[in-house]
Amino acid sequence: MKKLDKKPKILVIGDLMIDHYLWGNCDRISPEAPVQIVNVQKESAVLGGAGNVINNLVALGAKVEVISVVGADIVADELKALLKNINVPTSNLVIENTRKTSKKSRLIASQQQVLRYDMESIDDIDENSHKSIITTLTNSINKYNSIILSDYGKGVLTTKLTQDIIKIANKYNIKVLVDPKGKDYSKYKGSYTLTPNKKEAQEATNIIIKDEKSLIEASKVLKEKCNLEVSLITLSEQGIAIFDDNLTIKPTVAREVYDVTGAGDTVIASIAFALGNDLSIDESVSFANLSAGIVVGKIGSATATLDEIYEYEYSLHKSNSTNHIKTFKEIEELAIKLHNLGKKIVFTNGCFDILHVGHVKYLEEAKSYGDVLILGLNADSSVRKLKGAKRPINTQDDRAYILASLESVDYVVIFEEETPYELIKLIKPHTLVKGGDYEGKEVVGQDIADELKLVQFVDGKSTTNTIKRIQENEKCNN
């Protein structure tokens, strides 16, 4: 997968809600009724519904705006605060005084959901709200790369509003992606694509999907009846089916599934983000599979960052090594995330001109001292100052790519300076690793890292010796 460095501007329209969690343990049954007693130890609240789509987009790095309808209540205030916390403007939220903002509360005992209760309004929004949304959209439509309609059946995306949105978007060639609800998909006619799961697709088409033939038939019905550019059906552990002229199934890449809450939100957000980075629909679905593979391994409505996706793809041996070569700014941001996640960061540096077994063993041992190994690589100009005008043999880009492809190396950063001190200041590694020849010497960055580890080199293995042998062979051949 190529590096996704664009930040597409995506508008989300749909049903916003709060996903509320009560976390605790259970070790006894109530004497009052045959129910579990949960000792609640903590409480948390996150954006849910269309808000979870927003969370996923923000985590990926998209620029996000939202249009929705909420009530004049405390839950709406809480929802606005959560949006502001992730820098998503709330100025396009329409208030209906008689409406109750959606809040879903889940009771989690020992990592298992045991109960959910909802407080919300599910009536259609009124005509004034409809007009307000259309006016806002018409005035800002040119800003967006795409629009996601996140329909949770709570009354925001009425049939009339949905059709009006799609018509306006199509007029300006803006793709509309829909996470549908209900059995009648005619309200979504003219959108770019829908992302129903298998059960939803069966209900909408009245076709039981039991094999490839019935899957093609259901996909065709959705495409033709809804006038879609491409038809998608998510197939849980089997992956995602794509139908334009032919059927393609992109297999899932999830290792472990703990909770599928919000996985559909992750899929549609990831597809929109990838399309905004100029990926094809096939490539975008593959990207969405990687994102979903991460979030189903987490509890609750979760998200996946680009770095998590690159790392996950890398761990599946499908990653492009370029994704693991970082700039100073990128590695600084990444290091902050790694520290916040409690990861133990290991740092080492060097020229690594002609890679040999000594290098590989050195890096494998370095990685063993922590969770993430970041390698500072001397730029060509830096190598020349250290090794002479005839070095390096391989360019910095070639050296970086080869090193990034090693299983032991998580990230590579090229630095121009003679020493990596400024880079080490940005990363703040827990462990600094250098070769055994630094025994008794002062090591650059030692004052920043928590500890220093010295790794002994493999006897007789060095770039200098390799070059010498090559030169000797050339003399013999001449």
Side-chain angles (χ1 to χ4, degrees), residues 291-322:
S291 302
I294 293 169
V295 301
V296 297
K298 301 178 180 180
I299 298 293
S301 297
T303 61
T305 66
L306 274 178
D307 284 320
E308 284 179 313
I309 294 166
Y310 292 148
E311 187 61 35
Y312 189 50
E313 186 186 30
Y314 183 67
S315 71
L316 296 169
H317 305 289
K318 295 179 181 178
S319 177
N320 186 321
S321 297
T322 303

Side-chain angles (χ1 to χ4, degrees), residues 133-144:
I133 290 172
I134 293 303
T135 299
T136 299
L137 178 64
T138 303
N139 291 337
S140 61
I141 185 70
N142 282 322
K143 294 196 296 183
Y144 308 114

Side-chain angles (χ1 to χ4, degrees), residues 27 43 103 106 150 172 203 230 272 276 321 363 368 379:
D27 55 16
E43 185 176 4
K103 185 172 185 177
R106 297 173 175 89
S150 181
Y172 290 90
E203 291 175 348
V230 61
S321 297
L363 293 170
S368 72

Side-chain angles (χ1 to χ4, degrees), residues 94 148 277 327 373 380 385 433 446 455:
V94 180
I148 294 176
N277 271 271
T327 64
L373 175 60
D380 292 347
K385 291 176 184 177
V433 176
Q446 190 174 350
V455 176

Side-chain angles (χ1 to χ4, degrees), residues 119-404:
M119 294 183 289
E120 61 188 4
S121 294
I122 58 173
D123 297 331
D124 285 355
I125 59 172
D126 62 31
E127 185 61 27
N128 288 333
S129 295
H130 176 109
K131 289 177 180 177
S132 179
I133 290 172
I134 293 303
T135 299
T136 299
L137 178 64
T138 303
N139 291 337
S140 61
I141 185 70
N142 282 322
K143 294 196 296 183
Y144 308 114
N145 294 94
S146 62
I147 298 172
I148 294 176
L149 300 184
S150 181
D151 194 349
Y152 273 74
K154 306 303 179 184
V156 172
L157 289 170
T158 63
T159 299
K160 186 175 186 304
L161 178 63
T162 302
Q163 275 297 292
D164 285 349
I165 291 168
I166 292 170
K167 286 173 184 175
I168 294 168
N170 287 343
K171 181 180 177 181
Y172 290 90
N173 295 315
I174 307 296
K175 287 184 173 66
V176 177
L177 293 81
V178 183
D179 190 358
K181 201 72 173 178
K183 296 181 180 181
D184 183 6
Y185 285 5
S186 61
K187 67 189 283 191
Y188 311 119
K189 188 173 183 179
S191 54
Y192 171 74
T193 193
L194 308 178
T195 60
N197 60 34
K198 182 179 175 179
K199 179 176 180 291
E200 291 168 336
Q202 290 179 149
E203 291 175 348
T205 61
N206 290 317
I207 296 170
I208 303 300
I209 301 173
K210 56 186 178 181
D211 51 24
E212 184 173 309
K213 182 180 178 182
S214 55
L215 179 58
I216 291 173
E217 187 181 355
S219 299
K220 274 185 177 180
V221 168
L222 289 175
K223 188 173 186 295
E224 291 169 4
K225 283 192 173 181
C226 298
N227 193 25
L228 309 174
E229 285 192 40
V230 61
S231 181
L232 302 178
I233 298 177
T234 62
L235 303 171
S236 189
E237 70 278 358
Q238 292 177 288
I240 301 174
I242 309 169
F243 185 84
D244 38 26
D245 295 322
N246 298 293
L247 179 71
T248 303
I249 297 177
K250 296 290 184 180
T252 185
V253 288
R255 283 191 181 128
E256 297 178 289
V257 177
Y258 291 110
D259 191 348
V260 297
T261 304
D265 298 329
T266 299
V267 167
I268 197 167
S270 300
I271 292 172
F273 180 81
L275 289 171
N277 271 271
D278 303 321
L279 267 62
S280 68
I281 186 62
D282 282 25
E283 292 169 326
S284 298
V285 169
S286 294
F287 176 78
N289 263 335
L290 287 167
S291 302
I294 293 169
V295 301
V296 297
K298 301 178 180 180
I299 298 293
S301 297
T303 61
T305 66
L306 274 178
D307 284 320
E308 284 179 313
I309 294 166
Y310 292 148
E311 187 61 35
Y312 189 50
E313 186 186 30
Y314 183 67
S315 71
L316 296 169
H317 305 289
K318 295 179 181 178
S319 177
N320 186 321
S321 297
T322 303
N323 296 329
H324 297 266
I325 302 171
K326 301 295 184 183
T327 64
F328 268 53
K329 182 179 179 181
E330 288 172 336
I331 204 65
E332 181 181 20
E333 293 173 353
L334 181 60
I336 291 170
K337 292 177 183 177
L338 292 171
H339 279 290
N340 290 337
L341 290 170
K343 300 292 185 182
K344 187 174 181 181
I345 302 172
V346 181
F347 178 87
T348 192
N349 67 281
C351 302
F352 298 92
D353 193 356
I354 297 178
L355 199 65
H356 52 73
V357 68
H359 287 143
V360 176
K361 290 188 175 181
Y362 170 85
L363 293 170
E364 286 175 344
E365 184 168 345
K367 176 61 180 286
S368 72
Y369 296 128
D371 301 309
V372 178
L373 175 60
I374 301 174
L375 188 153
L377 182 66
N378 290 79
D380 292 347
S381 59
S382 177
V383 176
R384 281 191 289 272
K385 291 176 184 177
L386 295 170
K387 304 289 186 179
K390 293 184 178 180
R391 298 280 298 276
I393 302 299
N394 292 307
T395 67
Q396 61 191 43
D397 292 338
D398 289 351
R399 289 181 286 126
Y401 193 93
I402 292 169
L403 288 162

